[in-house]
Amino acid sequence: YEPDNLESISKQYALDGMELVHDAKIAFEEMAKTAKKENLNIIAMSTYRDYNYQVKIYKQYVRADGEEKADTYSGRPGHSEHQTGLAVDVYNGKVNYTKFENTKEFEWMQEHASEYGFILRFPKGKEKETGYTYESWHYRYVGKDIAKYIEEHDISFEEYYATKIKDW
């Protein structure tokens, strides 16, 4: 799958070459711009990935940690949310992305991401539901209404899907 409406994110808010689908890109730039007004940096460091790139990185993870462990933190090729153009990994440009939860930017994202239609995709304590380890840096655009619902009910996207979309 390759989205047909990918757009480059402004270099003010992203590393070079980062793309999201139109609605996600607009929302992300608006969110990052608002954070910047509060002297916070929300920077997109990994966004859309094509199938071949996902093959490459998944193989690297399997070589490093084995398939079973890699499957807890990386989508297999054809199954990664990054291939949808809706997922974005962020950092603040100062500390390694794996330490994002220790930043003021993370605190701000926890409070405001849903206002822009984003959810923390793999939240702490929801590993059983999501099938993935906690990732403080991985966000997904789902739209404002769904993001607010997920936040208000403290559920994962999988739990939302199971109750709101599956039988829809």
Side-chain angles (χ1 to χ4, degrees):
Y1 173 76
E2 184 174 329
D4 59 5
N5 61 344
L6 289 168
E7 296 180 8
S8 294
I9 301 170
S10 168
K11 291 181 186 177
Q12 287 182 291
Y13 314 116
L15 299 181
D16 193 33
M18 297 294 106
E19 297 177 309
L20 291 171
V21 298
H22 175 78
D23 290 347
K25 177 243 185 198
I26 297 300
F28 182 81
E29 287 182 346
E30 185 181 333
M31 179 174 65
K33 182 179 181 180
T34 302
K36 196 159 225 33
K37 289 177 184 175
E38 296 183 34
N39 294 316
L40 300 171
N41 291 309
I42 308 293
I43 302 166
M45 55 167 268
S46 182
T47 54
Y48 170 73
R49 299 178 192 158
D50 68 24
Y51 182 86
N52 291 330
Y53 183 71
Q54 192 65 27
V55 166
K56 179 182 169 186
I57 63 170
Y58 181 75
K59 283 182 178 181
Q60 287 175 346
Y61 295 146
V62 168
R63 278 194 299 276
D65 294 323
E67 188 174 85
E68 187 175 333
K69 181 158 184 178
D71 285 343
T72 68
Y73 66 85
S74 179
R76 290 182 180 210
H79 299 272
S80 171
E81 286 190 336
H82 284 282
Q83 287 178 246
T84 67
L86 296 169
V88 56
D89 291 343
V90 298
Y91 80 128
N92 69 358
K94 297 174 186 168
V95 299
N96 186 290
Y97 73 97
T98 61
K99 306 289 185 205
F100 188 67
E101 72 179 310
N102 301 322
T103 67
K104 289 180 181 176
E105 286 83 357
F106 175 74
E107 291 175 25
W108 189 90
M109 290 283 287
Q110 291 298 285
E111 200 170 315
H112 299 286
S114 66
E115 296 167 20
Y116 300 90
F118 287 90
I119 60 169
L120 177 63
R121 185 59 183 89
F122 305 115
K124 191 178 282 188
K126 297 289 186 176
E127 295 83 356
K128 183 178 177 188
E129 290 84 356
T130 67
Y132 287 91
T133 57
Y134 167 62
E135 294 185 353
S136 63
W137 59 89
H138 185 104
Y139 291 81
R140 178 177 170 161
Y141 181 77
V142 295
K144 291 178 183 179
D145 292 341
I146 294 172
K148 266 299 193 204
Y149 185 91
I150 288 171
E151 177 186 60
E152 288 171 0
H153 292 86
D154 192 29
I155 59 175
S156 66
F157 184 72
E158 283 74 12
E159 291 167 301
Y160 177 83
Y161 175 84
T163 59
K164 297 291 182 188
I165 298 175
K166 189 175 178 188
D167 296 326
W168 191 30

